[in-house]
Amino acid sequence: MPRSALGLVRYNGRAPGLWLSSCHGGAGASTLAALIAGSVSAGRYWPTPAPAGRSQVLLVARSHAAGLCAAQAAVAQWAAGVLQGVELVGLAVVADAPGKRPKPLADLLRLIAGGVPQLWDLPWVEAFRLGDPPDRVKLPAAYARLVRDMSGLVPA
């Protein structure tokens, strides 16, 4: 199995409509879960249903080199086909800094994007850095698109 920092955790019972799995610490999964109704952060785990079932998972990573490498490893782990019942819906990459992404990181993100069903590239939000609650922040359009796209997966 490809090396990834994400562990496996089995759960019983009803799953949330969407799990958000952090590729690494500080990825932003908890913040995004606060924005997407009916979603739950799984921490740094792949939530696998027991007994047989299905988990819809959105991977979350920061756009710095360590975050993208962690995302690449998690995507490779998923692609290896060893995660029974896990349906990867995509990868949300949260900007680690304001401004334009350096070319080596943009190139790596492009490479990773080819291995996921969908990519959401989310820009820097200074209010998150300052600790403002996610539901009180005027979000860029990319965040609204992610929330809208995920609302089709999460039952009302």
Side-chain angles (χ1 to χ4, degrees):
M1 177 174 359
R3 190 111 172 100
S4 169
L6 271 72
L8 302 177
V9 65
R10 284 203 167 293
Y11 67 89
N12 288 300
R14 186 181 160 123
L18 179 67
W19 293 98
L20 282 75
S21 293
S22 297
C23 295
H24 55 89
S30 296
T31 299
L32 294 181
L35 296 171
I36 303 168
S39 69
V40 173
S41 173
R44 291 173 62 184
Y45 292 95
W46 288 105
T48 57
R54 184 180 76 144
S55 295
Q56 294 187 105
V57 176
L58 174 66
L59 288 173
V60 182
R62 289 281 179 182
S63 64
H64 50 59
L68 293 178
C69 288
Q72 187 175 36
V75 169
Q77 186 180 18
W78 170 76
V82 296
L83 304 170
Q84 296 300 317
V86 173
E87 177 189 335
L88 182 63
V89 298
L91 171 65
V93 175
V94 181
D96 67 306
K100 186 176 178 190
R101 184 172 295 132
K103 183 176 181 341
L105 297 178
D107 291 345
L108 179 55
L109 180 55
R110 227 178 343 274
L111 176 71
I112 297 165
V116 295
Q118 190 162 353
L119 173 73
W120 291 269
D121 191 0
L122 304 172
W124 176 259
V125 175
E126 185 69 20
F128 290 160
R129 185 178 198 200
L130 298 173
D132 293 351
D135 61 346
R136 294 192 181 158
V137 173
K138 180 167 177 18
L139 294 170
Y143 285 83
R145 183 173 71 88
L146 171 67
V147 171
R148 184 180 63 247
D149 292 349
M150 294 302 102
S151 69
L153 301 175
V154 180

